[in-house]
Amino acid sequence: MKIYSKHTLALLLSLSLLSGCDQGFTELNTNQVDPTSLAPSMVLNKGIINTNYLDGFGTLGMLTYNFGIVQQIITPYGSSLSGANYDQINNGNTVLVWTNFYRNVLKQLVAVIEQTKNDPLQVNTYQTARIWKAYMFMILTDTYGDVPYFEAGQGYTTEIITPKYDPQQTIYKDILKELDEASAALTTVQAPVVTDILYGGNVAQWKKLGYSFMLRAAMRLTKVEPATAESYVKKAVAGGVFQSNADNSILRHTSTYNNFIANHLAAREKTNFYLAAPFVNYLKENNDPRLRVFAVRYVGAKGGQEQVAARATSDPQQQIGMPMGYNDVTITTVLAQNNVASLWDFSQVNLNTVLKLDAPEFHITYAQTQLLLAEATVRGWVSGTAAEYFARGVRAHLDQMASYGATLSETAIKTYLDAHPLDASKALEQINTQYWVASFLDGTEAFANFRRSGYPALKKNPYPGSEVKGDFIRRMPYPDSEIVVNSAQLNEAVARQGPNTLDTRVWWDKK
């Protein structure tokens, strides 16, 4: 009996101890600082950041295609860096806009829109997400043509995992509608969303952003639907577009959160990419003060290890762009005639100014907006004088150099403007060539406007192994993965749009 009592007592004591240990167990094992949900405004910020890619490797689409097609930055190297330098398909890099935007950016934006569309307290977050989604799809459809649009991003909400591809014409009409509605619906009644990464919740600036995107989207249609273009250009102007550089849409960086293009070119690709001769020559021949900001040359360098500060110069007269059409072997045949010691002696993008690790990236700017208004004025769609819009646009971009820590003097700016007034007889060429310069490092926009306007008047890349039948690459091919997971819808798009090649023109890119 005593033995039984002892065991019973021990059992009761154990149960008591276990019960005591369980007190507060749930609270103890709950992470009090790890969020289980995020405010929609913060998710929207993530979508905006992801638009500029998630890492340095994502920038290879820009570096190997966009910059090379518009002949601003080029590489003589092939393999993983082949693209516009050889006018060839590189499946590893043509897909990067597609994979990033559908897998990352769209996912964030759809989540925000679904969470806020019926919440009267989050009207502005909802409308700004619509504006950014429209911008995101402009880049997607400009890059590939017909793409999944209305059914895109609905895998979780409606279980559509094989979305249909919508015609670009239909997509653009909805983009314009979305920008129109969302910009008008933004309200100053509600408190600003101060966590907004672009404007700190400033509704007036978001309205100007929406209408400036509308102007850009409308001008895409100048060759295919001029009446629609004119209508929406007028709506954008009436709504209110950017009024100064203070309105620019900027992704800012720091020494820890880097500009990814800068990060890439400062590290593994430092000796691989060079400023292209057509770009350098245009700036040099026109005594453009921006060349000093954009360029650096390591004079006499005979290898990457000799690209050192002691050799560096940003003197415009010393800059030599790399000619188009050569690889790392054949380039040696034209070194002497270009007065360089080696391929490493050509000019590069300046890593101390426009591509510092903390250099900003721009989505759309006052300079670009003024230049588009100059063209719209030439077309008779906007009141005012094209020359004034043109001068304001060029000045705005010259002033924009200050954001890279390279402020141009008023004397330099005025000298350049006085020497380059708008000539009415070649206005469209002048305006869009300046747009080319003002879009430097904004590869998707430079590529799109070059196709739309036909300017600058670049010559075909003369590389002998070109896979392009026409003069220039017109679009990026769809990813091979789509053949596996969504072949029926892809085939329908190809049948409608044309072969899945670099030559096929998107709808608004009419000859």
Side-chain angles (χ1 to χ4, degrees):
M1 195 62 188
K2 289 182 180 179
I3 295 175
Y4 179 81
S5 297
K6 287 180 180 178
H7 283 294
T8 301
L9 183 61
L11 178 60
L12 291 172
L13 180 60
S14 298
L15 289 172
S16 175
L17 289 172
L18 286 172
S19 176
C21 289
D22 187 54
Q23 292 179 8
F25 181 81
T26 301
E27 291 78 6
L28 183 64
N29 286 276
T30 299
N31 190 332
Q32 300 295 321
V33 296
D34 187 17
T36 56
S37 64
L38 289 173
S41 60
M42 301 302 290
V43 179
L44 175 58
N45 283 345
K46 187 70 164 58
I48 292 171
I49 292 170
N50 285 358
T51 304
N52 292 70
Y53 302 98
L54 293 170
D55 55 49
F57 292 98
T59 65
L60 278 177
M62 289 274 200
L63 287 167
T64 60
Y65 279 103
N66 301 73
F67 297 151
I69 295 168
V70 299
Q71 299 182 10
Q72 291 180 331
I73 300 173
I74 199 73
T75 177
Y77 296 102
S79 187
S80 65
L81 300 184
S82 64
N85 53 343
Y86 299 166
D87 269 355
Q88 294 177 349
I89 290 179
N90 179 341
N91 289 326
N93 293 332
T94 56
V95 303
L96 293 172
V97 171
W98 184 286
T99 53
N100 180 45
F101 277 36
Y102 278 119
R103 294 178 186 177
N104 300 302
V105 183
L106 182 62
K107 180 174 66 174
Q108 313 292 343
L109 298 179
V110 167
V112 174
I113 289 170
E114 287 298 314
Q115 290 177 54
T116 60
K117 64 182 179 181
N118 296 316
D119 187 346
L121 298 179
Q122 299 199 71
V123 170
N124 286 337
T125 299
Y126 172 60
Q127 305 303 346
T128 54
R130 291 174 73 190
I131 290 171
W132 204 260
K133 183 171 176 245
Y135 168 57
M136 185 213 79
F137 268 110
M138 277 184 67
I139 295 175
L140 264 173
T141 189
D142 290 348
T143 303
Y144 299 98
D146 295 3
V147 296
Y149 180 73
F150 289 105
E151 294 183 352
Q154 295 189 29
Y156 288 108
T157 56
T158 60
E159 298 185 357
I160 295 176
I161 59 174
T162 56
K164 71 174 184 177
Y165 287 56
D166 296 292
Q168 187 179 67
Q169 181 179 11
T170 304
I171 294 170
Y172 254 91
K173 287 185 176 180
D174 198 69
I175 284 173
L176 288 165
K177 176 192 75 69
E178 285 291 287
L179 290 170
D180 189 11
E181 292 179 357
S183 301
L186 287 165
T187 176
T188 57
V189 173
Q190 294 184 351
V193 182
V194 294
T195 53
D196 162 29
I197 197 172
L198 289 183
Y199 297 117
N202 186 312
V203 170
Q205 286 188 301
W206 266 103
K207 276 183 175 286
K208 285 185 278 188
L209 176 64
Y211 287 119
S212 297
F213 277 146
M214 183 194 292
L215 172 66
R216 175 184 285 185
M219 292 298 288
R220 287 283 196 272
L221 311 187
T222 51
K223 291 191 292 187
V224 288
E225 287 193 8
T228 303
E230 179 181 0
S231 173
Y232 276 96
V233 165
K234 289 178 176 177
K235 285 185 179 184
V237 172
V241 296
F242 286 169
Q243 297 300 306
S244 72
N245 278 339
D247 295 324
N248 290 344
S249 179
I250 307 171
L251 184 64
R252 295 172 176 82
H253 298 99
T254 68
S255 58
T256 53
Y257 181 73
N258 295 166
N259 176 313
F260 285 131
I261 297 176
N263 186 294
H264 214 164
L265 291 184
R268 58 178 286 135
E269 307 298 347
K270 187 176 189 298
T271 63
N272 291 342
F273 287 89
Y274 296 82
L275 288 174
F279 189 59
V280 171
N281 292 344
Y282 173 80
L283 297 171
K284 197 171 179 180
E285 290 164 6
N286 287 279
N287 296 314
D288 197 314
R290 289 169 288 194
L291 180 56
R292 183 183 296 276
V293 183
F294 293 158
V296 65
R297 179 178 163 222
Y298 298 96
V299 180
K302 295 180 180 178
Q305 71 279 7
E306 293 187 5
Q307 290 184 342
V308 294
R311 294 180 180 273
T313 180
S314 288
D315 179 354
Q317 296 308 311
Q318 297 266 3
Q319 302 311 310
I320 302 173
M322 181 174 283
M324 302 292 297
Y326 298 92
N327 60 33
D328 57 315
V329 175
T330 59
I331 193 72
T332 60
T333 64
V334 293
L335 297 179
Q337 69 189 63
N338 281 280
N339 296 314
V340 294
S342 71
L343 72 85
W344 296 279
D345 193 8
F346 287 106
S347 297
Q348 294 178 286
V349 187
N350 196 332
L351 298 180
N352 292 313
T353 53
V354 291
L355 282 186
K356 292 185 296 183
L357 290 177
D358 62 352
E361 291 180 89
F362 296 86
H363 306 112
I364 185 169
T365 65
Y366 173 60
Q368 292 170 326
T369 301
Q370 289 294 297
L371 291 169
L372 289 178
L373 288 173
E375 180 178 338
T377 305
V378 171
R379 295 179 181 277
W381 299 346
V382 176
S383 61
T385 66
E388 290 177 354
Y389 283 119
F390 177 77
R392 283 197 293 267
V394 177
R395 170 180 279 277
H397 195 249
L398 292 166
D399 285 337
Q400 199 175 306
M401 298 303 99
S403 64
Y404 304 117
T407 302
L408 299 177
S409 69
E410 177 59 26
T411 300
I413 292 174
K414 191 173 187 306
T415 298
Y416 183 77
L417 293 175
D418 289 346
H420 299 88
L422 186 65
D423 181 345
S425 67
K426 51 183 178 180
L428 292 182
E429 179 176 7
Q430 269 188 282
I431 291 166
N432 286 289
T433 300
Q434 282 291 340
Y435 197 95
W436 175 59
V437 179
S439 300
F440 182 56
L441 298 177
D442 182 357
T444 54
E445 183 57 22
F447 178 36
N449 198 68
F450 168 62
R451 287 175 289 162
R452 178 195 71 85
S453 69
Y455 297 113
L458 302 173
K459 295 179 180 179
K460 176 180 171 59
N461 182 349
Y463 188 75
S466 171
E467 297 174 355
V468 176
K469 296 176 183 177
D471 288 344
F472 298 97
I473 293 171
R474 311 307 300 194
R475 65 180 280 275
M476 295 297 106
Y478 298 122
D480 288 345
S481 59
E482 284 292 286
I483 299 173
V484 178
V485 301
N486 201 14
S487 60
Q489 306 290 1
L490 181 146
N491 290 337
E492 181 182 323
V494 170
R496 179 175 58 238
Q497 178 172 262
N500 188 29
T501 66
L502 297 170
D503 283 286
T504 295
R505 291 172 179 259
V506 301
W507 166 70
W508 54 251
D509 182 18
K510 185 178 179 181
K511 290 184 181 180

